[in-house]
Amino acid sequence: MNQGWVDEGFGAVADAFAENFSLFPELGAAVSVYAGGRQVVSLWDGDAAPGRPWDRETVVPVFSCAKGLVSVVVHLLAQEGRLDLDAPIGAYWPEFVAAGKDTITCRMVLGHRAGIPVLDKTLTFDEIAAWTPVIAAVEEQKPLWEPGTAYEYHGHVFGFVLGEVVRRITGQLPGAYFRTVIGDPLGLRAWIGLPAAELPTLARLEEAEGRPPGLDPEHLLMRIVTMNGALEFPGLDVPHGWNDPDLLAMELPGAGAVASASGLAGVYAAAITGIDGSPRLLTSDTIGDAVREVSSGAGFLGFDAGARWGSGFLLDSPFRPTLGPRSFGNDGAGGQFAFGDDEYGIAFAYTANRMLGHGDPRAAHLITALRTCLN
């Protein structure tokens, strides 16, 4: 039975959320919608962990939804004139240009076109947690292709490269800067690096039965998402797995966010409209820049999953249907998804702790219902 509330006119979202628990092997989940800067849907149901029901405060690992948090920060810095997305990264981080990376821009990283989706160097968990060894490995890395000429998902490198640019400009790591300028002022329950005090609110991830096995560890895509095996995927209950507080506490800005549905939706609401009267973070022109397509079609590995990428965000597509050409967001490996759309003034987030795998339909089912509320 749904917990929480919906405003009049958004009942279809509540119906779809209840249906998800009968149509799919849900464990615990939540959905949040903001309209015009005001929360109009806040629902949750199921179990956060054995013997502990999901509640309004529950947070869950949302994997690559982290890219949305980092991308909002990066666009905010560009809007403030502190960062040129089309300037060489070496202008902010001189050591980055080694090994043929002198032409790489933040825009190329945001669009997964930089040619450095994976690192040759295999780092330990402790080295990844320490940040600087990863940055040194990035500096040494030679591009796999001429930067800008092809694209492939830059799973973790996305976060470390953009995060180091943020650090060079602001003096703070990206998760800390996000909290300074967005998370703390607006009271949003979303972090890159979960505080220990939030552990009692953390949901436990579980895999659905029948989820297909991963690719060979040496496959480029597996190397991308696991940092050469240092971070197992999905690897929920192995040492340093995705249920391990030590992993969730580190700055892992490509895939390490932890959030509630309301916190995640709130990031996009803050970006497109502001929340409850606060000024919007990103102007219409900034969002227009973010939603211009940068990458689509077959990637470097030859696969075409149907995704379209703007500058740091997934765009509307059959692969990830949203509301239209002004929608921008990011998804997570556990089925989580969040986006904003300034044309509609809508921000949406769905979070869950049962991992279903590729083609997870749960968020799309909710967004289909949301569309009916807006027509």
Side-chain angles (χ1 to χ4, degrees):
M1 180 180 176
N2 291 350
Q3 306 292 311
W5 50 270
V6 297
D7 272 15
E8 185 176 353
F10 290 89
V13 178
D15 293 342
F17 185 65
E19 288 170 1
N20 271 5
F21 279 81
S22 58
L23 293 173
F24 311 113
E26 285 283 31
L27 180 58
V31 61
S32 174
V33 178
Y34 284 78
R38 187 172 60 83
Q39 194 170 27
V40 296
V41 175
S42 181
L43 296 169
W44 59 90
D45 201 356
D47 292 331
R52 176 160 57 91
W54 202 287
D55 64 31
R56 186 175 184 175
E57 300 297 305
T58 297
V59 297
V60 65
V62 293
F63 296 94
S64 286
C65 290
K67 292 179 174 68
L69 276 57
V70 172
S71 296
V72 169
V73 163
V74 167
H75 282 283
L76 191 59
L77 290 171
Q79 181 176 283
E80 293 168 349
R82 302 169 71 185
L83 172 61
D84 182 346
L85 300 183
D86 298 303
I89 287 175
Y92 309 95
W93 173 8
E95 301 88 344
F96 176 82
V97 304
K101 300 192 296 298
D102 50 297
T103 64
I104 294 176
T105 65
C106 286
R107 180 94 61 194
M108 291 180 192
V109 180
L110 288 164
H112 303 270
R113 306 188 70 84
I116 47 173
V118 69
L119 301 176
D120 291 334
K121 188 170 185 178
T122 298
L123 298 147
T124 67
F125 180 88
D126 288 340
E127 286 173 326
I128 294 169
W131 187 268
T132 50
V134 184
I135 300 312
V138 168
E139 291 170 355
E140 298 167 4
Q141 184 63 41
K142 182 179 179 180
L144 298 189
W145 62 82
E146 183 181 344
T149 63
Y151 95 97
E152 189 56 64
Y153 190 57
H154 282 48
H156 291 287
V157 175
F158 177 106
F160 282 107
V161 173
L162 294 172
E164 180 65 9
V165 172
V166 170
R167 191 187 72 81
R168 298 276 173 143
I169 293 171
T170 70
Q172 290 183 285
L173 290 173
Y177 190 67
F178 165 78
R179 291 304 307 178
T180 296
V181 296
I182 302 173
D184 288 342
L186 295 173
L188 298 177
R189 296 183 58 70
W191 293 270
I192 299 170
L194 184 68
E198 292 295 335
L199 287 175
T201 73
L202 178 66
R204 181 177 181 79
L205 295 167
E206 290 192 15
E207 283 198 78
E209 292 183 9
R211 182 176 156 100
L215 299 169
D216 184 290
E218 294 304 312
H219 192 285
L220 183 62
L221 186 58
M222 285 303 287
R223 291 179 56 215
I224 288 170
V225 300
T226 66
M227 294 192 74
N228 296 327
L231 306 171
E232 290 199 40
F233 182 80
L236 302 184
D237 295 311
V238 297
H240 305 315
W242 293 94
N243 280 322
D244 187 339
D246 288 342
L247 174 64
L248 302 177
M250 73 165 67
E251 283 268 350
L252 196 63
V258 180
S260 69
S262 292
L264 200 52
V267 174
Y268 287 91
I272 63 169
T273 59
I275 297 174
D276 295 331
S278 68
R280 65 186 286 178
L281 294 175
L282 302 182
T283 67
S284 178
D285 287 347
T286 297
I287 292 172
D289 184 54
V291 299
R292 277 199 295 272
E293 183 181 295
V294 175
S295 299
S296 64
F300 179 73
L301 289 171
F303 303 132
D304 181 2
R308 297 173 58 241
W309 288 98
S311 293
F313 301 102
L314 282 167
L315 305 181
D316 184 63
S317 70
F319 167 79
R320 186 51 83 182
T322 50
L323 298 181
R326 297 286 293 191
S327 294
F328 62 101
N330 262 291
D331 57 10
Q336 308 88 356
F337 182 53
F339 74 92
D341 188 304
D342 68 340
E343 179 180 353
Y344 287 92
I346 290 290
F348 166 95
Y350 164 78
T351 59
N353 61 344
R354 177 89 80 194
M355 299 179 67
L356 301 192
H358 183 71
D360 188 329
R362 293 172 293 177
H365 184 61
L366 296 167
I367 294 166
T368 298
L370 175 59
R371 277 195 221 98
T372 68
C373 302
L374 304 178
N375 292 333

